[in-house]
Amino acid sequence: MSLKTLSMLSILLQLTLLSLCVLSLFVRESKTSLTLLVVGICSSRLGLWVFDMSVTQLMQELVPEEIRGVMGSMQHSLNKTFELLSYLAGIVYSDVEQFHVLIYIGYGAVAVAAIIQACGVYFNVRVPHS
C-alpha cells in the first residue's frame, strides 16, 4: 500500500469514526449517547495518528530538501493556528446547550481535510522548486 493510499484511508477512517460523535447527537438515551461520543472521539485518534505520520512521511519524500524546512515550518504554524481556532470555538460555544456546534465544526474540519487530501492524492500535487 502506498503512503498516499494510507493517508487517504486513515483520514477517511477518522471521519468515519467521528461520525459516531455526530450520531450521538441524535440518540435520546443519555448513556448510549455518551458512549457513542466517547468511543467516537477516542477511536478516531487512530486515524488521526496514522494520517499525521503518513503526511509527515509524504512531505519528507515529496518536498525538495532545499525548501523542506520552510514547508515544515508552514505546516507547523498552520497546525497551531487551527488549534487556536478550536480553542476560540470552545470559548465562543462554551454553553452546554451549544456543544453540538463544536461537534459539527470538528466533523466539518476533518471532512474538509479529507477533501484537500483527496485533491492532493488524486491530482498528484507536487511542490515546485526553483
Side-chain angles (χ1 to χ4, degrees), residues 101-112:
V101 175
L102 296 174
I103 293 175
Y104 290 135
I105 289 172
Y107 188 79
V110 174
V112 168

Side-chain angles (χ1 to χ4, degrees), residues 43-59:
S43 61
S44 73
R45 291 302 193 188
L46 174 66
L48 175 63
W49 180 73
V50 174
F51 179 71
D52 182 48
M53 298 301 279
S54 61
V55 166
T56 300
Q57 185 65 35
L58 279 169
M59 284 186 61

Side-chain angles (χ1 to χ4, degrees), residues 4-115:
K4 288 182 177 183
T5 303
L6 181 62
S7 68
M8 204 56 232
L9 290 175
S10 62
I11 193 76
L12 291 176
L13 174 66
Q14 183 184 12
L15 189 63
T16 302
L17 293 171
L18 282 177
S19 298
L20 294 175
C21 299
V22 175
L23 181 63
S24 75
L25 297 173
F26 300 102
V27 175
R28 293 290 174 215
E29 184 185 329
S30 65
K31 188 174 181 178
T32 304
S33 177
L34 182 61
T35 301
L36 284 172
L37 181 65
V38 171
V39 167
I41 290 172
C42 293
S43 61
S44 73
R45 291 302 193 188
L46 174 66
L48 175 63
W49 180 73
V50 174
F51 179 71
D52 182 48
M53 298 301 279
S54 61
V55 166
T56 300
Q57 185 65 35
L58 279 169
M59 284 186 61
Q60 289 177 350
E61 291 180 6
L62 299 178
V63 176
E65 189 175 347
E66 311 86 54
I67 62 170
R68 199 172 293 152
V70 174
M71 290 292 292
S73 299
M74 282 301 299
Q75 180 192 19
H76 184 75
S77 63
L78 282 171
N79 287 347
K80 293 301 175 185
T81 300
F82 285 109
E83 183 178 6
L84 178 63
L85 288 175
S86 73
Y87 296 147
L88 289 174
I91 292 170
V92 171
Y93 299 106
S94 59
D95 187 16
V96 175
E97 296 296 321
Q98 297 173 321
F99 186 71
H100 66 281
V101 175
L102 296 174
I103 293 175
Y104 290 135
I105 289 172
Y107 188 79
V110 174
V112 168
I115 292 168

